[in-house]
Coordinates of all heavy atoms in Angstrom, one line a residue:
G29 N 57.1 -37.0 33.4 CA 55.8 -36.3 33.6 C 55.8 -35.6 34.9 O 54.9 -34.9 35.1
R39 N 69.7 -18.8 38.1 CA 68.4 -18.5 38.6 C 67.7 -19.9 38.9 O 68.3 -20.9 38.6 CB 67.6 -17.7 37.8 CG 67.3 -18.3 36.4 CD 66.4 -17.4 35.5 NE 66.3 -17.9 34.2 CZ 65.2 -18.7 33.7 NH1 64.2 -18.8 34.6 NH2 65.1 -19.1 32.6
T44 N 59.3 -29.8 33.2 CA 58.7 -31.1 33.2 C 59.7 -32.2 32.9 O 60.5 -31.9 31.8 CB 57.5 -31.1 32.2 OG1 56.7 -30.0 32.5 CG2 56.7 -32.3 32.3
L54 N 75.1 -41.3 30.7 CA 75.3 -39.9 30.2 C 76.7 -39.6 29.9 O 77.1 -38.9 28.9 CB 74.8 -38.9 31.2 CG 73.7 -37.9 30.7 CD1 72.4 -38.7 30.3 CD2 73.4 -36.9 31.8
K113 N 39.2 -26.0 56.1 CA 39.1 -27.0 57.3 C 37.7 -27.6 57.3 O 36.8 -26.9 57.4 CB 39.5 -26.3 58.5 CG 41.0 -26.1 58.6 CD 41.4 -26.0 60.1 CE 42.9 -26.0 60.2 NZ 43.6 -24.7 59.9
P123 N 24.2 -42.3 73.2 CA 23.2 -41.3 73.7 C 23.6 -40.8 75.1 O 23.5 -39.5 75.3 CB 21.9 -42.0 73.8 CG 22.1 -43.2 72.9 CD 23.5 -43.5 72.8
A179 N 39.8 -30.2 49.9 CA 39.7 -29.3 48.7 C 38.1 -28.9 48.3 O 37.4 -29.9 48.5 CB 40.3 -30.0 47.5
S188 N 24.7 -21.4 36.4 CA 23.7 -21.7 35.4 C 22.4 -22.3 36.1 O 22.6 -23.2 37.0 CB 24.2 -22.7 34.3 OG 24.0 -24.0 34.8
I193 N 17.1 -32.8 34.5 CA 16.1 -33.8 34.8 C 16.6 -35.2 34.2 O 17.0 -35.2 33.0 CB 14.7 -33.6 34.3 CG1 14.3 -32.3 35.0 CG2 13.8 -34.6 34.6 CD1 13.1 -31.6 34.3
P221 N 39.4 -48.7 15.4 CA 38.4 -47.7 15.7 C 37.2 -48.0 14.9 O 37.2 -48.7 13.8 CB 39.1 -46.4 15.0 CG 40.6 -46.8 14.9 CD 40.6 -48.3 14.8
V254 N 33.4 -33.1 21.3 CA 32.3 -32.5 20.4 C 33.1 -31.3 19.8 O 34.1 -30.8 20.2 CB 31.1 -31.9 21.2 CG1 30.4 -33.1 21.9 CG2 31.6 -31.1 22.3
H284 N 35.7 -21.2 28.2 CA 35.7 -20.0 29.0 C 35.8 -20.3 30.6 O 35.3 -19.6 31.3 CB 34.6 -19.0 28.7 CG 33.3 -19.7 28.5 ND1 32.7 -19.7 27.3 CD2 32.5 -20.3 29.3 CE1 31.5 -20.2 27.3 NE2 31.4 -20.7 28.5
A311 N 40.2 -31.4 24.9 CA 39.9 -32.3 25.9 C 40.4 -33.7 25.5 O 40.4 -34.5 26.4 CB 38.3 -32.3 26.1
L359 N 34.0 -43.0 16.2 CA 33.9 -41.8 15.4 C 32.5 -41.7 14.8 O 32.0 -42.6 14.1 CB 34.9 -41.6 14.3 CG 36.4 -42.1 14.6 CD1 37.2 -42.0 13.5 CD2 36.9 -41.2 15.7
T411 N 21.1 -11.3 -7.5 CA 19.8 -11.6 -6.7 C 20.2 -12.5 -5.5 O 21.0 -13.4 -5.6 CB 19.0 -12.5 -7.6 OG1 18.6 -11.7 -8.7 CG2 17.7 -12.8 -6.9
C449 N 26.3 -18.2 -16.7 CA 26.3 -19.7 -17.1 C 26.8 -20.5 -15.9 O 26.8 -21.7 -15.9 CB 27.2 -19.9 -18.3 SG 29.0 -19.9 -18.0
G500 N 27.6 -10.5 2.4 CA 27.7 -11.0 3.7 C 26.4 -11.1 4.4 O 25.2 -10.7 3.9
K527 N 31.1 -12.5 22.3 CA 30.6 -12.2 23.6 C 30.1 -13.5 24.3 O 29.4 -14.3 23.6 CB 29.4 -11.1 23.6 CG 30.0 -9.8 23.2 CD 29.0 -8.6 23.2 CE 29.3 -7.6 22.2 NZ 28.2 -7.6 21.2
A580 N 36.7 -28.5 -1.1 CA 35.6 -27.6 -1.3 C 34.3 -28.4 -1.6 O 33.3 -28.1 -0.9 CB 35.9 -26.7 -2.5
P685 N 51.9 -15.9 -2.9 CA 51.3 -15.2 -1.8 C 50.0 -16.1 -1.3 O 49.4 -16.7 -2.1 CB 50.8 -13.9 -2.4 CG 51.1 -14.0 -3.9 CD 51.9 -15.2 -4.2
I699 N 53.7 -22.4 0.5 CA 54.1 -23.5 -0.4 C 53.1 -24.7 0.0 O 52.9 -24.9 1.2 CB 55.5 -24.0 -0.3 CG1 56.4 -22.8 -0.8 CG2 55.7 -25.2 -1.0 CD1 57.9 -23.2 -0.5
A734 N 47.0 -30.2 6.4 CA 46.4 -28.9 6.4 C 45.0 -29.1 6.0 O 44.7 -29.8 5.1 CB 47.1 -28.0 5.6

Side-chain angles (χ1 to χ4, degrees):
R39 65 180 174 99
T44 309
L54 239 63
K113 287 207 166 76
S188 90
I193 299 165
V254 294
H284 44 246
L359 315 178
T411 303
C449 77
K527 292 183 213 119
I699 292 173

